[in-house]
Amino acid sequence: LVVLLMAGLASSYSTSTEVNLAGNERMEAQLFYLAEAGIAQVKKHLNTLGVPITGTGPDGTEPVQVFFEEPIGQAGGAQGLFTAYVDPQARQEGKPTKFVAITVRAWMPNSPNFTDLEQMASGTTIWWTTGDVLRGPVHSNDQLNINGDPIYLKEVTSSASTTNEVNPSNPDFREGITFDVPTIELPNDTGLLRAKAQEADGLYFGGNADLVLGYDSVTDFSYVDVDVGAGFVRYQLPANGVIHVEGTVTLKGLLNGQLTIASTGDMYLLDDILYNSDPRVNPDSDDLLGLVSEQNIIVDDTAANLDAGDETFMCILMALNTSFTVENYASGTPRGSLKIIGGVIQNRRGPVGTFNSGGIVSGYSKDYAWDFRLADNPPPSFPTTGVIVTLSWKERDPSYDISSNVF
């Protein structure tokens, strides 16, 4: 069995996701090599058959799945999954050799947290400290500032050459830290999302708006209640999954579906934002939320957020020109843990609390977890970093003209 045409496809990262959103060159390379390894596995499988593979369909020429979410990787190296299809090339019937196309999609179940600058506009340094737990990959275009013993459970990358550590600090980089990686640029604005929202199957609002997400399980109806100043009006979630607001947004609620909300002004989170199906409990959950602000995304000082309990936001957050932060983070008593199930992408790292040698003094400690689904399925029209990466490659045998068989 001679395989002369191979196409390897690796999903790019969004948060990342998140992978599509805030990835780095090392992760791109890891995904590429995982896809290559997947192709090698398929070739090994084909060699064991002894005869040309037969596809599905009435004539046996449709693609056949040979691996599904198969674990792949090496000890101490990148670990991931791959799915592979083999497509017998019908146009090669009767030829002395049998051509097939191998398609491999490889991914790692991670979505990164990304920051461009690790200081506030005033020059105040933002610190990672004891009690902070980062459960997904982290990238910064700046130098990471560490005061204490934060835990990074996945790979950390930085465009700086060192970390800035003060006092007795012992950061726990479970999968290591890589310095001097190329910087990643954020999108400039929400213009593309505005255009999507203005389409017939989107939702566009020309001024400040209060949004409440909801789901009626009895009628299986997903909706968003919107108040632009004259009382709430209920809308079905837009078919193309995009809402855009020209101004400030307030938001809370429960999402059943896939949605991206964008605003030109600040975005205030009034209370927990949850999925109807929690991906930590149900890996097959298809609920996804993306939040994109041209300014800040702020955990508001509502009574619900001041109840000295954890706050949970299931979404991928992107603050294009400023920060993800907490209102009045430096006042009051500790409020608990700020749990993000998704990812955080921001221009400047924003403060969410204050601390001293004894721990959190006010605001929240950080507990940021990745949503592994974002690597394969980001929210509708969610912005990318603008980094163009290789998603496929082809290898051909120069001794035989197969140009007519490229599809």
Side-chain angles (χ1 to χ4, degrees):
L1 181 65
V2 181
V3 181
L4 295 179
L5 176 62
M6 296 182 294
L9 300 181
S11 64
S12 179
Y13 43 92
S14 52
T15 66
S16 222
T17 100
E18 295 261 280
V19 163
N20 285 329
L21 311 174
N24 54 69
E25 287 190 350
R26 180 172 177 179
M27 188 176 290
E28 291 170 20
Q30 288 174 340
L31 285 167
F32 180 80
Y33 292 132
L34 288 177
E36 273 194 323
I39 290 175
Q41 290 278 67
V42 176
K43 292 173 64 179
K44 181 179 178 180
H45 171 73
L46 294 178
N47 284 330
T48 66
L49 298 180
V51 294
I53 190 169
T54 300
T56 59
D59 57 358
T61 60
E62 297 298 318
V64 57
Q65 185 181 83
V66 292
F67 290 100
F68 176 72
E69 296 187 358
E70 183 76 10
I72 193 168
Q74 297 178 347
Q79 304 293 315
L81 304 170
F82 80 97
T83 294
Y85 292 85
V86 175
D87 185 7
Q89 302 296 279
R91 284 167 292 186
Q92 288 299 313
E93 295 297 337
K95 297 293 179 84
T97 55
K98 177 73 174 181
F99 292 87
V100 299
I102 300 173
T103 300
V104 170
R105 179 165 56 88
W107 69 95
M108 291 181 288
N110 298 318
S111 176
N113 292 285
F114 169 87
T115 304
D116 190 29
L117 300 170
E118 299 288 335
Q119 292 184 331
M120 298 173 64
S122 63
T124 301
T125 298
I126 306 298
W127 299 93
W128 296 104
T129 188
T130 303
D132 291 344
V133 181
L134 282 297
R135 302 179 186 273
V138 174
H139 172 79
S140 177
N141 287 342
D142 202 356
Q143 187 179 47
L144 293 174
N145 304 301
I146 298 171
N147 186 332
D149 307 326
I151 299 173
Y152 304 85
L153 296 179
K154 294 296 181 180
E155 180 187 23
V156 178
T157 57
S158 170
S159 300
S161 299
T162 61
T163 56
N164 173 31
E165 299 182 19
V166 300
N167 298 324
S169 293
N170 185 29
D172 187 354
F173 297 108
R174 297 285 175 89
E175 293 192 1
I177 181 170
T178 303
F179 296 106
D180 298 313
V181 302
T183 59
I184 299 171
E185 299 299 322
L186 285 171
N188 293 321
D189 54 39
T190 58
L192 293 177
L193 288 169
R194 177 188 294 108
K196 292 293 293 185
Q198 289 176 330
E199 293 176 358
D201 53 355
L203 277 179
Y204 174 80
F205 300 98
N208 300 338
D210 300 324
L211 308 180
V212 179
L213 301 171
Y215 173 62
D216 186 334
S217 60
V218 175
T219 60
D220 191 27
F221 180 67
S222 300
Y223 61 87
V224 55
D225 290 336
V226 182
D227 182 3
V228 294
F232 281 101
V233 176
R234 180 158 295 182
Y235 297 86
Q236 184 174 357
L237 293 185
N240 71 5
V242 179
I243 297 174
H244 191 282
V245 175
E246 298 290 341
T248 299
V249 166
T250 68
L251 180 65
K252 63 180 180 180
L254 177 75
L255 175 67
N256 180 71
Q258 300 187 4
L259 183 66
T260 294
I261 301 172
S263 67
T264 58
D266 292 333
M267 189 174 292
Y268 290 88
L269 310 184
L270 304 185
D271 198 358
D272 291 344
I273 298 175
L274 304 176
Y275 293 145
N276 182 59
S277 180
D278 188 336
R280 297 170 297 179
V281 178
N282 176 22
D284 295 325
S285 168
D286 60 0
D287 301 333
L288 288 167
L289 177 62
L291 303 180
V292 185
S293 169
E294 291 188 11
Q295 302 301 323
N296 299 287
I297 299 179
I298 303 166
V299 179
D300 199 5
D301 247 357
T302 59
N305 288 337
L306 290 173
D307 57 6
D310 296 343
E311 295 300 324
T312 302
F313 302 104
M314 297 182 179
C315 54
I316 176 76
L317 307 163
M318 180 180 280
L320 293 179
N321 294 314
T322 321
S323 307
F324 171 62
T325 187
V326 170
E327 188 174 27
N328 296 324
Y329 66 90
S331 63
T333 57
R335 309 180 195 178
S337 180
L338 189 59
K339 296 182 180 295
I340 306 295
I341 314 301
V344 178
I345 302 168
Q346 54 190 329
N347 176 253
R348 289 184 179 274
R349 189 173 304 284
V352 301
T354 63
F355 65 95
N356 59 24
S357 58
I360 296 297
V361 174
S362 65
Y364 299 92
S365 62
K366 309 179 192 75
D367 188 350
Y368 296 171
W370 78 92
D371 185 340
F372 68 93
R373 303 169 305 150
L374 292 170
D376 189 48
N377 186 28
S381 302
F382 200 87
T384 69
T385 60
V387 177
I388 298 174
V389 299
T390 299
L391 292 182
S392 67
W393 58 272
K394 297 178 181 178
E395 182 178 290
R396 300 179 182 177
D397 185 345
S399 66
Y400 192 89
D401 180 13
I402 61 171
S403 59
S404 63
N405 302 301
V406 177
F407 65 98

